[in-house]
Amino acid sequence: MNLKYRNILGVVVILALVGAVLAGAFFRDSRNTQPEFMEYAAFIEAVAYGRVKSVSLGDGAMLRFTLADSEASYTTNNPRRGDFKEFLLLAGISVSESTTTGEGLLQIGVTIALVAGLFFFIRRRTSAGMAKAGLTPVTVKPHGQKLCGFDDVAGNLEAKENVKDIVDYLKEPERFARYGARMPRGILFHGKPGTGKTLMARAMAGEAGVPFHAVSGSDFVQMYVGVGAARVRDLFKKAREAGRGVIFIDEIDALGKKRSDGVNGNDEREQTLNALLTEMQGFSEGTGIVVVAATNRPDILDEALLRPGRFDRRVEIGLPDMNARRAILDLHSQGKPLSREIDLDKLARDTVFFSGAMLEGLLNDAAIGAARRGGEDILPEDITTAYYTALAGSEKKDRSAIRDHERAITAWHESGHALAAVLSDPENRVAKVTIIPSTSGAGGFCATIPPERMYYTKQDLRRQIKISLAGRAAEELRFGEDNVTTGASNDIEKATTTAMQYVSKFGMGTGIADRALLKDNRKVAVESAALTDTLYRETLILLQKNYSALEALAERLLTKETLDGDEVAEIIDSCA
């Protein structure tokens, strides 16, 4: 029988037992007729005349007696005198000791308490059994069954190279032990979401042909103290029983955050973390077990996790470059009827800052769009729609409620972004400008594709800020300073964030020290505000000098609603 249903059946049986006890007490009391009350003076008179046959004494306020000429029971007040029993016996009356109503209720209460105790004991044992039965939600692949290999992981060449020796160790741990080599007990994969950290861990296990034990850090975060630590111990026990293998802990920051120095720490999380540290330290050499963890925030992990003997190798799984994006697109396009007109090389160039998961989602959305359309192949239009949906959301179909004045504001705003992008940074390619609102809440957008760079200079960051502020500047030039709108709120937030990083994180302000770390946040705020204001004035001057091109872009957007990069460049060149 299923454990859940056995637990329910046990509860039902115990409740039925409690009901039976209460019912028995009720029927016992209801079976006896209610005795008639007699005044105490009348009772003493009956004793004097020898009419009382028997008396039942107790500690209660009432006593019960029977008369010689009647089978009925009577009650009267209990005088509770020390010599009262002797008085009755001398009168020739049969006296018995009996429990009172209060004592009966006490017995019932004790019985209920015992049954309740039994109930909670059985429930606790059952819960413990359930916890033990499904203590750790691990997914284990049988030994030798191929999960996936490095050939199934496009891109991330550096990460593959960093873990190839681990794969060799998983295959032949004895060979490394013979040379006295200690392989890392733990590997920490870190990087942005969707870059393939979990896939890389599965590929390691697949390449080595060993079991893959996959859990999430949140699986160990429990309300009750001790449960998480027990799950950690059970996970490692299962891994040891299975022999060589990979233990994968996703989102390890859920349990591995830096421990608090104060008294208000999370006891359960700290106990779970301590259990993990102990289990990792307890691995013996040559076991062939490697712990792999993944996180998006390595900076918040406890230092004890990162020391040698724990997660002593850190591997970054970064965003793919253009060649890696091309390989990922090739991988995920398999089995999809792509039209010959689709240029995956161009798509790889246009998807700067896309993760592997985003690229897979883009092709999948294009396939869904083609299926809804009922076409034979996936066309370039399906790819384009999926691309811009990923950037800004789906186009809003009903635009009848948008006023002409609001369309004009959006057209000038987006024209400002496009013009500033082309003029301030020639390498920053404009892909599309539109004033069609999207379901994400944007009134329109200007999609620019920056060049791939390893580093950003001061000029690069200043140009980014100017492009972000160009929409507000265009509004001010066309409609006046008092008529700017809230449409630039997100742009201003991005510009301010970049300016603060420019001053503090990157040390490109008046001082090279990181003022955020020095807690000089007031100076950071003042200098960032001054930088933003200066660049805004420069943006106003840039757009003012090229006002004819700005106006031409806005008018063409009001007519066509959408312009591609070539059309934008043509309009700007014609106004030069």
Side-chain angles (χ1 to χ4, degrees):
M1 184 185 295
N2 187 284
L3 185 60
K4 175 181 177 182
Y5 292 106
R6 288 207 307 268
N7 187 30
I8 294 175
L9 180 61
V11 172
V12 171
V13 170
I14 291 173
L15 291 177
L17 181 59
V18 173
V21 172
L22 295 176
F26 173 78
F27 286 121
R28 184 190 64 186
D29 290 339
S30 60
R31 185 177 54 191
N32 299 325
T33 58
Q34 187 68 23
E36 182 180 350
F37 177 76
M38 180 181 293
E39 293 292 342
Y40 183 72
F43 168 74
I44 294 298
E45 183 178 355
V47 170
Y49 284 101
R51 295 178 52 212
V52 177
K53 179 181 179 181
S54 64
V55 174
S56 178
L57 288 177
D59 294 331
M62 307 296 289
L63 61 83
R64 179 175 295 190
F65 64 95
T66 58
L67 298 177
D69 55 356
S70 174
E71 294 297 329
S73 296
Y74 296 86
T75 60
T76 188
N77 296 308
N78 188 355
R80 286 183 278 203
R81 297 192 336 241
D83 60 344
F84 189 64
K85 182 177 180 180
E86 182 181 6
F87 165 74
L88 295 175
L89 291 173
L90 292 174
I93 299 173
S94 174
V95 179
S96 63
E97 302 281 348
S98 66
T99 58
T100 62
T101 304
E103 291 174 333
L105 292 176
L106 179 61
Q107 288 182 348
I108 294 175
V110 170
T111 303
I112 294 175
L114 290 174
V115 172
L118 178 62
F119 165 74
F120 286 113
F121 173 77
I122 294 176
R123 181 180 179 183
R124 185 171 180 178
R125 291 292 299 273
T126 306
S127 299
M130 290 179 67
K132 188 173 182 180
L135 195 59
T136 309
V138 295
T139 303
V140 181
K141 291 292 183 181
H143 179 75
Q145 179 177 338
K146 189 174 181 64
L147 292 157
C148 66
F150 287 149
D151 292 338
D152 301 309
V153 182
N156 283 315
L157 297 179
E158 297 81 5
K160 292 178 186 177
E161 288 296 326
N162 282 331
V163 298
K164 278 186 177 179
D165 58 338
I166 306 298
V167 172
D168 293 336
Y169 167 71
L170 289 170
K171 290 179 179 178
E172 298 180 89
E174 301 83 5
R175 176 161 61 95
F176 289 85
R178 187 170 68 250
Y179 288 95
R182 184 189 67 80
M183 297 304 293
R185 291 188 175 93
I187 305 174
L188 180 67
F189 288 157
H190 62 94
K192 293 186 177 181
T195 52
K197 297 182 288 293
T198 302
L199 183 62
M200 185 66 72
R202 293 175 64 88
M204 287 178 56
E207 283 288 322
V210 296
F212 182 70
H213 310 265
V215 295
S216 173
S218 60
D219 293 333
F220 301 104
V221 180
Q222 300 295 321
M223 180 185 300
Y224 302 105
V225 176
V227 175
R231 289 186 170 183
V232 169
R233 291 189 291 269
D234 187 72
L235 169 64
F236 280 79
K237 178 182 177 183
K238 289 180 178 179
R240 290 188 181 94
E241 291 173 351
R244 292 176 295 156
V246 173
I247 298 175
F248 178 65
I249 306 175
D250 197 10
E251 304 294 346
I252 194 173
D253 45 279
L255 67 93
K257 290 181 181 178
K258 293 180 180 178
R259 285 170 286 189
S260 172
D261 294 331
V263 296
N264 295 323
N266 188 323
D267 290 340
E268 164 60 8
R269 184 171 61 81
E270 292 187 6
Q271 283 194 21
T272 305
L273 176 57
N274 289 333
L276 175 62
L277 297 174
T278 302
E279 290 293 335
M280 291 186 67
Q281 190 66 31
F283 275 157
S284 59
E285 303 296 339
T287 57
I289 298 176
V290 173
V291 183
V292 180
T295 181
N296 305 326
R297 296 286 310 279
D299 55 302
I300 65 173
L301 295 180
D302 194 272
E303 295 178 358
L305 276 174
L306 306 178
R307 77 162 182 80
R310 272 68 179 264
F311 292 102
D312 43 9
R313 180 176 294 187
R314 298 175 61 175
V315 178
E316 181 178 6
I317 311 293
L319 292 173
D321 57 18
M322 191 183 74
N323 293 330
R325 292 196 298 273
R326 182 65 170 85
I328 293 172
L329 290 171
D330 280 336
L331 180 65
H332 291 298
S333 63
Q334 296 176 8
K336 292 182 174 63
L338 295 183
S339 169
R340 294 183 179 180
E341 300 174 4
I342 294 176
D343 187 353
L344 291 182
D345 289 326
K346 180 179 182 300
L347 184 59
R349 291 193 300 271
D350 291 348
T351 49
V352 180
F353 303 132
F354 272 54
S355 66
M358 292 176 66
L359 292 171
E360 189 277 334
L362 188 153
L363 290 179
N364 185 65
D365 288 343
I368 293 174
R372 293 177 60 186
R373 181 172 47 80
E376 294 183 0
D377 297 326
I378 300 174
L379 301 178
E381 299 81 54
D382 300 316
I383 297 290
T384 301
T385 301
Y387 175 76
Y388 289 112
T389 299
L391 289 180
S394 303
E395 291 185 357
K396 192 173 182 180
K397 301 301 181 182
D398 185 8
R399 303 191 288 273
S400 59
I402 302 176
R403 298 182 301 169
D404 291 339
H405 180 64
E406 292 174 337
R407 292 181 72 251
I409 292 174
T410 304
W412 280 83
H413 183 105
E414 301 303 336
S415 297
H417 286 309
L419 184 59
V422 172
L423 297 178
S424 64
D425 189 357
E427 295 184 9
N428 203 344
R429 183 161 52 92
V430 175
K432 179 180 179 180
V433 186
T434 182
I435 61 172
I436 298 176
S438 66
T439 54
S440 64
F445 65 89
C446 173
T448 59
I449 302 173
E452 292 192 71
R453 297 184 174 102
M454 289 185 64
Y455 309 104
Y456 290 89
T457 66
K458 294 177 68 172
Q459 286 299 322
D460 292 333
L461 296 178
R462 293 170 74 94
R463 287 167 183 163
Q464 287 183 17
I465 296 173
K466 291 169 72 173
I467 293 172
S468 297
L469 297 174
R472 165 61 67 86
E475 289 184 27
E476 182 175 337
L477 287 176
R478 173 62 180 84
F479 303 102
E481 184 178 357
D482 293 335
N483 292 314
V484 295
T485 68
T486 60
S489 61
N490 186 52
D491 298 330
I492 295 173
E493 181 180 350
K494 289 168 57 178
T496 304
T497 300
T498 305
M500 294 188 71
Q501 292 177 336
Y502 178 99
V503 171
S504 61
K505 182 177 180 180
F506 304 129
M508 295 178 177
T510 57
I512 196 171
D514 188 339
R515 295 195 183 96
L517 293 179
L518 297 176
K519 305 302 181 184
D520 193 359
N521 295 326
R522 181 178 179 276
K523 193 168 184 180
V524 170
V526 171
E527 190 170 346
S528 301
L531 174 65
T532 305
D533 291 341
T534 299
L535 294 178
Y536 181 70
R537 288 191 295 270
E538 292 180 7
T539 306
L540 279 171
I541 295 172
L542 177 67
L543 297 184
Q544 181 66 58
K545 289 181 179 179
N546 298 273
Y547 190 82
S548 59
L550 179 66
E551 186 176 27
L553 282 172
E555 289 177 353
R556 185 70 65 88
L557 277 173
L558 287 171
T559 303
K560 293 190 63 177
E561 290 191 327
T562 300
L563 301 174
D564 60 27
D566 294 336
E567 291 175 300
V568 171
E570 180 184 346
I571 293 171
I572 294 175
D573 290 341
S574 66
C575 297

